[in-house]
Amino acid sequence: MDDIDNYLSSHAAEFEDRLCALLKIPSIGADKSHHGDVRRAAEWVAAQFRDMGLVPEVIETSGQPLVYAQTEPVPGKPVVLVYGHYDVQPVEPLNEWVSPPFEPTKRSGNIYARGATDDKGQMITHLLSAAAWLKTRGKLPVQLKFVIEGEEEVGSKGIYDFLATPAAQEKLKCDIIVISDCSQYGPGQPAITYGLRGIVFFELRVTGPKQDLHSGTFGGAVTNPINAICKLLASLVDERGRVQVPGFYDDVLPLSEGERKQIAALPFTDDAFRKQVGVKALAGEEGFTTLERRWARPTFDVHGIWGGQQVSKTAIPARAGAKFSFRLVPNQDPQKITKATRAFLSDHQPPGVEVELIESHGAKAAVVPLNSPYVAAAQKAIEHGFGKAPVFMREGGSIPIVTNFRERLGVDTLLLGWGLDDDNTHSPNEKFCLADFHRGIKASAHLWNELGRCGAGVSPAVH
Ligand code: BES
Ligand code: MN
Ligand code: MN
C-alpha cells in the first residue's frame, strides 16, 4: 500500500481544498430558501465522481436528489455500498459562530464550518480514497457503489421511497455497506459503532381562544395555551427520567450483563463528561450509567417551544407550539410509540384548548453484528489509518437509513466514524479535526484493500 499511502500524503493539501469547496455550499435541507444550494451540493458531488472518471447519475426523488456512481465490478470480491449525506443542519444561532458557517476556516488543527464533520467531511474521505486508488492503480480491489443523499437531516424520505422499488434494490445490491457519519470514542481512540438509537420526531400545536386576550380581564377563566403546552410536555416524563406514555418501555430490549460490563470497561468519567458539556450536574434515567443513558436507553427531549411575545405584555396567547422527539432503542417501534403518544396526549388534553400532534419522521434503532469478516477488515483498516485499534461502541444519534438498508437490501452496515463527540454537530462552530480527516482517508483506502481480501456474499441474507 506504499504507493497509495504516498499518494495520500502528497495530496493532503488538495484534499483540504476540495473539502473547503464543498463546505462553502450552504446546503441546508430544512430551509426552502436554500434548496437551490442543496442541489448545487449534489452537482458538486456528481462532478467529483466525473473527475474520478466515473459516470455519476443524479437521481430525482420526491425531495432532494441522490447522487449515484459505481466503479468496475470485481468478480468474486465484495460489492461495497458507500452512503453519506451532502445536506446539513441549519446554522442558527448565527451570532455564536466564531467564523461564518459557510466560510470554512482552519484554526488549531480543525476546520470549522457547518457540515465539516456531519457529514461532508466524513463522506468525502471515501470519495478521495477511491480517487487515490484509481489514480495510482487504475482500479479498485472491490466494486464500490456510492449513494449520497440530500435529506438525511430531515428524515431521508427520498432515499427511503427509492429503496422501496425493485429497480433500486437491484442497483444498490451489495455485500456490505459503509457509512462514516458518526464519531470515534475519543481523541486518539477510533471506534467501530455497532448500535445507533432510533427516533420519532413530532410537532405539537395547542390552540386556545380565537385571539390573544388581556390576561387581567380574561385570566382565570380560560386555559392559557402556553400553560397547557408546558404541562403536557412536562407530563411526558417523570422526575426519575421515565417516559410516562403507557407501553413506552414494553418492547425495549434490555442491555445484557455482558454488554453493560463492556460499556463499563471503556475509559469514562462522569466528571470529565460533565465539564465537556458545561453543566454542574448530569441527569437522566435512574439506574443507568451515563454511557448507557446516551447509547442504549430511550429519551424524551423538547427541541423548540414557542408562543406569545418576547416583550413584557400581559396577554393570554391564542396558540402555542413545540417540537419534541423520543430517541428509541432496539425493538421499539416508531409507529407504535407514535400511536401511544397520540393516545396519551388526548387523555391529558386540558379543557378549552385544541391539541394537535403532527408526526414528522421516525426511524428504528440499529444494531449491527460484529462477527463478520468485514468487521475484521474494518478493524485492520482503522489500525492502518489511525495507528490504533478501534474499540466497539454504540452511539445515541440516529441514521434512519441503516435499518432500512437492512430491511430492503438484507445487508448490514459498517459504521466507521471519524468525528469526535465535541465536534459541535447541529450546533454553532461545527468542526472536524484535519488530522482525523486525513486518517479517515487513509483508513478508507486501506478498507478497500482489506475488503478485497474477503470473499463476496458473507453478509447474512434477508431475515
Ligand atoms: N450524523 C448524524 C447521526 C449521528 C450523530 C450518529 C452522532 C451518531 C452520532 C445524523 O446526521 C443526524 O443528525 N441524524 C438525525 C436524524 C434525524 C433528523 C432523523 C439525528 O440523529 O437527530
Ligand atoms: Mn450525519
Ligand atoms: Mn446530523
Side-chain angles (χ1 to χ4, degrees):
M1 288 290 287
D2 285 354
D3 53 343
I4 291 173
D5 289 343
N6 289 337
Y7 182 94
L8 298 182
S9 19
S10 59
H11 288 75
E14 181 203 316
F15 296 161
E16 291 182 19
D17 290 347
R18 286 195 192 228
L19 173 58
C20 285
L22 177 58
L23 290 174
K24 281 182 186 157
I25 307 175
S27 50
I28 305 169
D31 184 343
K32 281 214 167 58
S33 71
H34 280 286
H35 281 186
D37 298 314
V38 177
R39 186 163 287 271
R40 268 210 295 138
E43 293 296 345
W44 187 92
V45 173
Q48 292 300 298
F49 287 130
R50 233 169 268 127
D51 211 46
M52 287 159 69
L54 307 180
V55 186
E57 291 168 54
V58 175
I59 302 170
E60 297 303 327
T61 69
S62 56
Q64 303 301 342
L66 304 170
V67 186
Y68 179 84
Q70 63 178 48
T71 60
E72 289 298 308
V74 185
K77 297 296 176 189
V79 178
V80 184
L81 179 68
V82 180
Y83 162 94
H85 63 96
Y86 60 78
D87 60 314
V88 300
Q89 285 274 330
V91 294
E92 288 74 22
L94 195 52
N95 61 345
E96 288 184 25
W97 286 78
V98 173
S99 49
F102 298 107
E103 290 174 27
T105 307
K106 294 174 192 171
R107 283 197 299 277
S108 47
N110 294 309
I111 182 144
Y112 284 85
R114 171 57 87 231
T117 188
D118 184 9
D119 177 36
K120 289 172 171 174
Q122 294 199 57
M123 177 267 288
I124 71 162
T125 60
H126 299 302
L127 276 68
L128 295 170
S129 73
W133 268 91
L134 292 171
K135 281 268 190 295
T136 316
R137 306 231 186 135
K139 59 178 198 278
L140 277 127
V142 290
Q143 182 179 32
L144 297 181
K145 296 181 172 180
F146 290 94
V147 64
I148 314 295
E149 73 146 312
E151 291 182 293
E152 195 277 342
E153 300 289 11
V154 294
S156 295
K157 185 175 183 308
I159 189 169
Y160 191 89
D161 293 344
F162 176 70
L163 262 179
T165 65
Q169 290 161 20
E170 186 55 37
K171 194 181 193 84
L172 302 189
K173 208 167 170 243
C174 60
D175 298 288
I176 185 70
I177 299 162
V178 172
I179 302 181
S180 292
D181 190 21
C182 49
S183 298
Q184 304 174 67
Y185 182 67
Q189 181 54 69
I192 294 180
T193 295
Y194 64 90
L196 292 170
R197 285 193 289 194
I199 190 169
V200 270
F201 194 99
F202 299 103
E203 180 171 331
L204 182 64
R205 291 186 191 161
V206 175
T207 318
K210 64 180 183 195
Q211 68 181 73
D212 292 4
L213 301 171
H214 191 292
S215 69
T217 317
F218 299 95
V222 293
T223 302
N224 178 320
I226 298 184
N227 292 25
I229 207 164
C230 290
K231 202 165 169 189
L232 270 175
L233 292 169
S235 69
L236 281 164
V237 66
D238 73 5
E239 51 301 330
R240 288 161 49 241
R242 297 279 295 184
V243 173
Q244 297 298 294
V245 174
F248 186 83
Y249 293 93
D250 283 2
D251 299 330
V252 167
L253 188 71
L255 277 163
S256 69
E257 273 316 304
E259 195 178 347
R260 291 190 89 165
K261 279 203 187 113
Q262 255 177 329
I263 292 177
L266 291 167
F268 184 87
T269 67
D270 274 0
D271 213 39
F273 177 71
R274 190 179 58 67
K275 288 189 182 122
Q276 181 196 327
V277 291
V279 293
K280 290 212 171 75
L282 298 176
E285 191 183 2
E286 261 179 24
F288 296 92
T289 67
T290 301
L291 285 180
E292 289 169 353
R293 288 169 178 173
R294 291 169 61 203
W295 294 351
R297 295 298 300 171
T299 56
F300 162 73
D301 275 295
V302 181
H303 309 295
I305 179 162
W306 61 94
Q309 312 297 327
Q310 305 311 309
V311 292
S312 304
K313 178 164 168 265
T314 46
I316 296 170
R319 61 193 74 86
K323 300 224 182 198
F324 69 92
S325 72
F326 297 109
R327 291 280 166 183
L328 307 178
V329 298
N331 291 357
Q332 281 184 299
D333 173 28
Q335 280 173 359
K336 221 165 140 183
I337 299 293
T338 301
K339 222 172 135 202
T341 305
R342 212 175 270 292
F344 178 90
L345 291 173
S346 98
D347 286 351
H348 289 74
Q349 174 160 351
V353 287
E354 296 298 321
V355 175
E356 191 191 355
L357 183 71
I358 301 156
E359 188 191 345
S360 172
H361 45 255
K364 286 185 200 157
V367 224
V368 290
L370 294 176
N371 58 351
S372 98
Y374 302 135
V375 172
Q379 274 180 291
K380 285 191 202 129
I382 288 176
E383 205 167 336
H384 280 296
F386 286 77
K388 186 144 191 208
V391 293
F392 293 106
M393 67 173 195
R394 289 214 212 179
E395 286 193 81
S398 312
I399 305 177
I401 208 65
V402 174
T403 309
N404 204 232
F405 278 144
R406 174 72 237 175
E407 289 170 357
R408 296 295 189 191
L409 305 175
V411 179
D412 288 308
T413 296
L414 292 171
L415 293 162
L416 312 178
W418 316 141
L420 289 170
D421 68 7
D422 69 353
D423 275 347
N424 302 323
T425 49
H426 296 201
S427 143
N429 304 310
E430 180 175 345
K431 66 161 174 71
F432 189 22
C433 166
L434 283 164
D436 284 333
F437 172 60
H438 295 293
R439 291 190 272 252
I441 300 169
K442 187 168 175 190
S444 171
H446 281 260
L447 182 63
W448 315 141
N449 187 46
E450 298 295 338
L451 289 172
R453 297 178 173 174
C454 300
V458 196
S459 202
V462 190
H463 299 302

